Amino acid sequence: MPYNRREFIKTSVALIAAAKMATPLKSIAAVAAKAKHSGILESTIRYVKSTCAHCVNFCGINVKMENDVIRAIYPDPERAPFYNVGICPKGVSGVFNTYNPYRIKKPLKRSNPKKGLDQDPGWVEISWEEAFETITGKLKAIRQDDPRKLIWQHGHGKYLIGDKFPKAFAKAFGTPNLVHRTTTCEAARHVADELTWGYHGFLPDIEHCNLLLNFGGNYFEAEQFARWLDHATTDAKERGMKIVVIEPRLSSTASKADEWIPIRPGKDVVLILGLARLLIKQNTIDEEFLLSTTNATALVAGDETLLKDDNGQLLVWDELTQSAKPFSDNVKPALRGSYLVDGKAYVTAFQHFSNSIEEITPAYVAEEAGVPEKKVFWLAEELAKQVKIGATVVMDGHKLRYRPVAIHTFRGLSAKEFGVQNWRAGLVLQMLLGSIDAVGGINLHSVYKKPQYFDASKAEYPPSRVDLQESVFFPHATHNVAQQVAQTVMDPKHYGLEYIPEMQIFYATNRPFSTSDSQKQFASLKKTYNVVIELVMTETAQMADIVLPDLTYLESWHLSPSRYTPRTKHTAIRQPLTNAYQIEHDAYSILWQLSKRLGILDDYVKNVNKQWKLKKHPLQTGQDYSAEQAVEQIWLEQTKGKDFAYAKEHGFIGKHLSVEKTYLSGVDKKFKGAGKPKMNFYAEQLVHTLANVKQQKKQHSLKMIDLDRYQLALSPLPKKEHGFPTPHREAKAFPFYLITYKRMYRNQSGNTALNPILNALGPDVQENFVLINQKSADQLSIKTGEQVVVETRVGKVQGKAKVIEGIRPDTLAISYHYGQQSLAFPDSAKQGIWINSVLENYSDVVSGMESFNDSKCRLIKV
Amino acid sequence: MAKLVRVIDMERCMGCRACIAACHMENHYTPGSPWNEMVEYENGTYPDVRTIFGTMACMHCEDAPCQKICDEINVHAISKNEYGVVMVDYDKCTGCGYCAPVCPYGVPQLNKQAPQSLYPEQETPYEAIPLAQRHPLHQKKNNVMEKCTFCWHKLEKAIIAGEPELIGKKPEYTPSCDLVCPVNARLFGDIDQQDSEVKQYIGKKKAAQLKKESGTNPQVYYVVRGGDF
Amino acid sequence: MKWLGFILLSCVLNSAFAEQQKTVDVRPTKEIKTMNLARIAEQIRNGEIDVGKDYSTNFKTGRFHIIHADKLLIDCNNCHYGKKYKADYQLMGKHKPMPDKMPGRLQRSVCLGCHAEGGIATHLYGRSAEW
């Protein structure tokens, strides 16, 4: 391109304007001339906004296209005020999530009837027509017989096309069996939220927080809100926020913290209750919050139920009239004490709690949780000092409660046998501090959106769903029970299932690989006819009868999920940049095809409208919709008519939330004051659920229901026993605790293992290691790089040791998403240890949550 | 004059390696010859231990020993331009390897085969971008030295467009490693510019150069916390 | 600069008293070692000692190793460390993953002794910064 007169003038003007720059004219000319003569072929560059879908952060990205080739992926700077400032290495190297020679390009059918991780399926390429015909044939037969025999399972698929399309299909087909992966993720945390305040999801108000207690949430390596928490906490730390990370391993998050407290695995609840005890003793608790917003003043009977009047209203002890009354404006409820009502003894829920944690002294915490006494005292002091009980702050003319202390967790407290109780403890502690929905505390999402979460579970039997959701087995499992499907399929009669599942469709999930005790999962896949929709030949795909290719997030349309922050939210789309292997269908069009061929398309469309709440911009029956067209309708509905061209140009539209929306539409609105329901300090519904479980066990002679186990798990208050999961109690001969964690460079799905950039970020990224403490390693004469065997009660795995200082001496840690097994993967993508295969699984019976961090093991030098 | 400077804040860096991935993607990574590397190690002993994170790419020294030795043996493949960017000319480089041991920071990468396909099984459209379509700095050759260029192919565009003051500010004119960081741990810009952000950052956050005793005067500064210095 | 003066002076003294040095203690002192290195360096530069024309780090034929290992007799361990490396190796660099082209770990501050400004060898490293 000639350095022409126009450019000369432009440059001169720029120079004069920026005189301080003082760059000689000839330098620019020299640079331009060099560029001109370097003989570069011209290419067209354009930038397209979209959303990353490697993980559930859904970062805004700006994709650089060079002549229709995806050249690079950068963060979208416009998204920064609303969510992510940058992107992680997975997002950066997303080019190779799409450009990947290992992609499945055509539908495949197995010719080897034997299924197994060691069995070559003998794939035969078939046409899309044959694939659809075969699948539809099977579906038709099942639908005529009993549509419940179809199970739809997805994981990441929920974030590729959303779970609403599959839900609509399942509804139209007539199967209740749609299963998502949440119990492999953080279901226990959700259920604890639901039992306590009627919906789920929260975020620490980082901007105003001064003390953040993080129980194992690792937002510098993974985590659901990582790409906001990472920069928000880094900025807040410079501002003066103190961060205390409590977890057995020195994660990246712990490395950047002010304090790292290496707690013994599983014992977090003991520490939390120990802190609660100290706060109560020192009387540094927010009494006003407890009295006005929670049911801490409710009266607990001997049978653990709460005292109610004939209308079902909770009664409190009125200090003015010295009698039991419903909480109204004239009543002054007692927080502490025991009282006689009609000759029966009652104690306030707060008092009950206080009594129950009397033994959890700092010495006890030190003994059981491995946290030194001094540290426990210090932590309680810090909490008391920083929380500023009684303080208010004015923002935008609103006077708001100011409690700049937040307790956060992701899987640290929840991926356990007692996950629900562990996070319940976290919530109870924050009720004591009064930091819920306060400025600088934790901010709850859609408080009391579903009041039914305050009801007891019917504990249904026989179960209607193959995953036993909300049945007697997992009475409050409101987020499916992903790992249970395999176990029910192996023995439906054992669980009282009235039908035998026949067919499973897996969409973008490598679930069997990612659960605990995963070998059992693969055994079950031999029992059903499996269709897998996937990008690459994962372990799950290897067990399929038919595999269908899918489009990647860079090749497809979607109304993207998006993450909010306490002060912002946004609506985003994903748009295709390419179709690297000219694949004709993705899950969206597959569902459309199947619905059409089954003759349920109209029903499907009606359900799609229902699921997406499309009232003003519904899809019409009697016509086909491409993915782009469907996304346009959803965009119009969600943005109240914002032009779709805007979506294609900017990728998203963001909104700043008002102070009212952030701080005054939560617990203060729904629970505070007389005449309103109360936040569950005491989760009474669990008592009634237990009664229903007992009733069902008796009525149906359910031998497999261990009532002791249910009694402990369904406790209305967390207790110290919740720090002792089954393996800790039983596996005494196994000296080490075994925990897992996630690294930044991999996902479970398997396609990240094939990404050459993600495998080139350093010599330590292509495999994982057995992390062992230096002192423990010395005692066993183990050095970094040596082969070791880790043995649990489930099985053995072998791999390389890595000796570090940053882990408890009594604990080993092995990350997951390594040790791929697929026969179709090259060796370079199969390095490392498949830790899931030996993790003990004792699911949380309340929520169905899988346990990932409760195992015990021994370590043997090879 | 303009002097382009990078600041890496190790206090903020969380070790995610997005910057490593970005450099690889931006510069057609040659396997085995990374231009940007993560250095991660523990400091202290249990339980009083932390991991330190930092990345190292070319320091673009004012007194670059790699340039000195390359001139000394009359090859003259390494040059430093008026913006302070040190670059190697693949055509002139003889692959002698002298620059590698003399660099105090271990920056120069002697490659074997370049360009090299990342997927040996089947070339992808990204890898198939013809050499002639790539910037000269990405038209790599076998057995030469390659290293970080401060993404000169991006900075050059700013100068040609007459917007050099936007270097480090506009994403198209910012080295990709500095662009992608999720925690804003990296800055890039002209230290001689008025109201220079990098200058303010270096002063306020006490950022320093590494291995000062080598007298190389690097143009990359680090906010260092912990580890030896 | 003072090194050069010292060397010149030593050379003068050396030649002047050469006959009388048969019984002098010739165990290499630090000064004599450096003197020898400086002399060899000068001889390499003016061509008296032939180190070949192969400008490479090839340890058999390349000038780099012929000069430092063969002629100057610098022990391999002075520069290359086996699997372990010294604590003051270099900031962060000691933990740097090594690309596959660089066998062994290099103690780079060793180079400064001769190659810093004012040293006996080719000047590669600028003036030390003021602390």
Side-chain angles (χ1 to χ4, degrees), chain A residues 592 601-602 605 619-625:
Chain A
W592 197 273
L601 186 59
D602 284 356
V605 168
L619 303 189
Q620 306 296 335
T621 53
Q623 65 180 91
D624 284 333
Y625 283 83

Side-chain angles (χ1 to χ4, degrees), chain B residues 10 32 37-39 41 56 65 68 72-73 96-98 100-106 109-110 210 213-215 228, chain C residues 55-57 63-64 87 90-92 94-97 99 101-102 106 108 112 122-129:
Chain B
M10 287 165 72
E37 293 176 89
M38 169 58 76
V39 180
Y41 60 98
M56 284 182 95
K68 289 202 173 100
E72 181 68 25
I73 61 170
C96 75
Y98 270 43
V102 305
C103 173
Y105 313 100
Q109 304 287 316
L110 277 302
L210 302 185
E213 65 273 20
S214 299
D228 49 11
Chain C
Y55 286 91
S56 81
T57 50
R63 282 169 63 104
F64 191 98
Q90 55 172 304
L91 178 64
M92 295 204 300
K94 72 185 180 207
H95 301 281
K96 229 178 154 200
K101 249 300 186 179
M102 296 293 299
L106 304 185
R108 294 172 205 274
L112 286 176
T122 310
H123 168 216
L124 291 175
Y125 302 105
R127 222 169 276 117
S128 275

Side-chain angles (χ1 to χ4, degrees), chain C residues 63-75:
Chain C
R63 282 169 63 104
F64 191 98
H65 279 93
I66 291 174
I67 292 169
H68 294 96
D70 189 28
K71 303 302 175 192
L72 293 174
L73 295 173
I74 296 174
D75 193 82

Side-chain angles (χ1 to χ4, degrees), chain A residues 545-565:
Chain A
D545 291 275
I546 288 186
V547 178
L548 300 177
D550 195 13
L551 294 177
T552 70
Y553 73 98
L554 294 171
E555 295 174 327
S556 54
W557 284 97
H558 183 34
L559 198 292
S560 175
S562 61
R563 291 291 176 208
Y564 52 87
T565 73

